[in-house]
Amino acid sequence: VNRFPGDLIVNQNTQTRLNPNFGSVIFGRTIGTADGHYGSLMLSKRFTHSWQLRGIYTFGKATDDTSSNDNGTDNGEAIFNPLDIPFQHGRSDYSVSKRITLDSVLEVPPGMFKNGLAKKVLGGWRMSNIVVLQSGLPFSVFTSANFNPIQDGGGNVIGLQPGSGDFNVDGYGYDLPNSAPAGAVHTGNRSNFLTGFASASAFPTPALGQQGDAGRNTFTGPGLANVNTEFAKEVKWERFSVEFRADVFNLFNRVNLTQPESDLSSSQFGQSTSQNVPRSVQFGLHLDF
């Protein structure tokens, strides 16, 4: 909090701070403005004794000042301007606007098999499925580039070199650009995040000494589509029972992209370079006695 916009302009590229007797001062608080407005619709149906299905649709929005103590910036500050906290009020890091969840349980009745061996081997299996389809999480476009000024003969800061960061010139390099023009940002489908949802040059540099107007968490990252399946069978005899389980996460091995690189100073700006929840399988035995 020991900083103010325009410091490096007033003091000729030397950070003086609000109180020059201290360096960086990190201030935490347990108050803040946060809200969430959500609605849910649920439909459930048992089709037969051995098959039931349920669907839940959730929609809404959550907003706050800063969702976590560390969004990847130094010292977990993640504050654009400590003198204007309401400016960065926006969608929460975890805000999901739309989510559809389908879960079902299908059991194979032992009575459907006449052959004794088939009844023991194939009967009694249970398959449980969870399908999740949801929109992406919010993210901010920012720059972490160092301050690189243009100075006149007297040492006065009169502008920023191309690629410079610290737009509000407070000595802290975590700043927003101005909003990109209409049509310059494309976040509608997965391929946009593979090729790059926008170019860094699409975001104009703000006027010297000012924070950009792009806003916090104004963009939406890649969505998620995932299917988890469990196969289970229980075998009982006398006072003992054994349940075999096989869990398959991300059954169809769909590539669910992570949030794109949104730092304007990165050579990979605009692209998602990794994925979430690749397919994995685990097996288990549960013994009751």
Side-chain angles (χ1 to χ4, degrees):
V1 295
N2 193 21
R3 54 188 168 101
F4 66 93
D7 187 3
L8 303 183
I9 298 175
V10 175
N11 297 290
Q12 296 184 328
N13 199 22
T14 299
Q15 189 175 24
T16 304
R17 300 185 178 276
L18 289 170
N19 187 333
N21 297 306
F22 293 91
S24 175
V25 177
I26 300 176
F27 172 76
R29 62 180 191 171
T30 57
I31 61 173
T33 303
D35 57 72
H37 302 280
Y38 281 91
S40 289
L41 302 173
M42 182 178 72
L43 293 175
S44 181
K45 173 70 174 178
R46 179 179 287 275
F47 294 94
T48 65
H49 180 72
S50 58
W51 181 34
Q52 61 183 17
L53 176 67
R54 179 177 62 177
I56 302 175
Y57 174 59
T58 304
F59 57 95
K61 181 174 70 172
T63 67
D64 57 26
D65 295 335
T66 175
S67 299
S68 62
N69 187 50
D70 187 356
N71 286 359
T73 58
D74 293 338
N75 301 318
E77 293 160 41
I79 302 295
F80 301 114
N81 180 3
L83 303 181
D84 187 11
I85 298 298
F87 166 76
Q88 74 171 49
H89 189 85
R91 287 188 296 168
S92 304
D93 294 354
Y94 51 81
S95 179
V96 175
S97 62
K98 294 182 289 293
R99 178 185 176 99
I100 297 175
T101 303
L102 301 173
D103 61 85
S104 67
V105 177
L106 177 63
E107 298 180 1
V108 180
M112 68 181 298
F113 300 99
K114 296 181 179 180
N115 182 281
L117 179 62
K119 181 178 180 179
K120 292 182 178 180
V121 175
L122 301 178
W125 280 96
R126 181 182 72 251
M127 182 176 68
S128 304
N129 299 287
I130 299 178
V131 181
V132 177
L133 306 171
Q134 72 177 38
S135 55
L137 296 171
F139 68 91
S140 304
V141 170
F142 68 100
T143 180
S144 64
N146 295 325
F147 181 59
N148 189 9
I150 300 172
Q151 295 176 275
D152 63 15
N156 298 307
V157 176
I158 58 175
L160 298 175
Q161 299 282 359
S164 172
D166 194 7
F167 300 140
N168 67 348
V169 203
D170 64 351
Y172 180 63
Y174 181 57
D175 291 72
L176 298 170
N178 279 337
S179 300
V185 177
H186 302 279
T187 58
N189 57 62
R190 190 165 49 162
S191 64
N192 295 144
F193 296 101
L194 291 172
T195 59
F197 67 85
S199 64
S201 60
F203 296 87
T205 300
L208 180 64
Q210 296 183 12
Q211 190 71 248
D213 61 8
R216 170 179 165 264
N217 280 352
T218 53
F219 302 97
T220 302
L224 173 72
N226 189 47
V227 179
N228 296 333
T229 297
E230 176 193 87
F231 300 94
K233 178 179 173 62
E234 185 179 29
V235 178
K236 297 182 179 180
W237 70 95
E238 296 183 356
R239 296 182 296 107
F240 299 90
S241 67
V242 175
E243 183 184 52
F244 169 79
R245 293 178 56 175
D247 298 291
V248 185
F249 304 99
N250 193 359
L251 177 65
F252 300 106
N253 203 25
R254 184 183 189 274
V255 176
N256 288 295
L257 299 173
T258 57
Q259 293 288 68
E261 175 59 66
S262 58
D263 186 347
L264 292 168
S265 64
S266 171
S267 61
Q268 295 180 314
F269 174 79
Q271 297 178 320
S272 295
T273 58
S274 59
Q275 66 167 321
N276 286 312
V277 291
R279 182 168 58 199
S280 61
V281 181
Q282 69 179 20
F283 300 96
L285 285 175
H286 186 98
L287 173 64
D288 279 337
F289 58 92

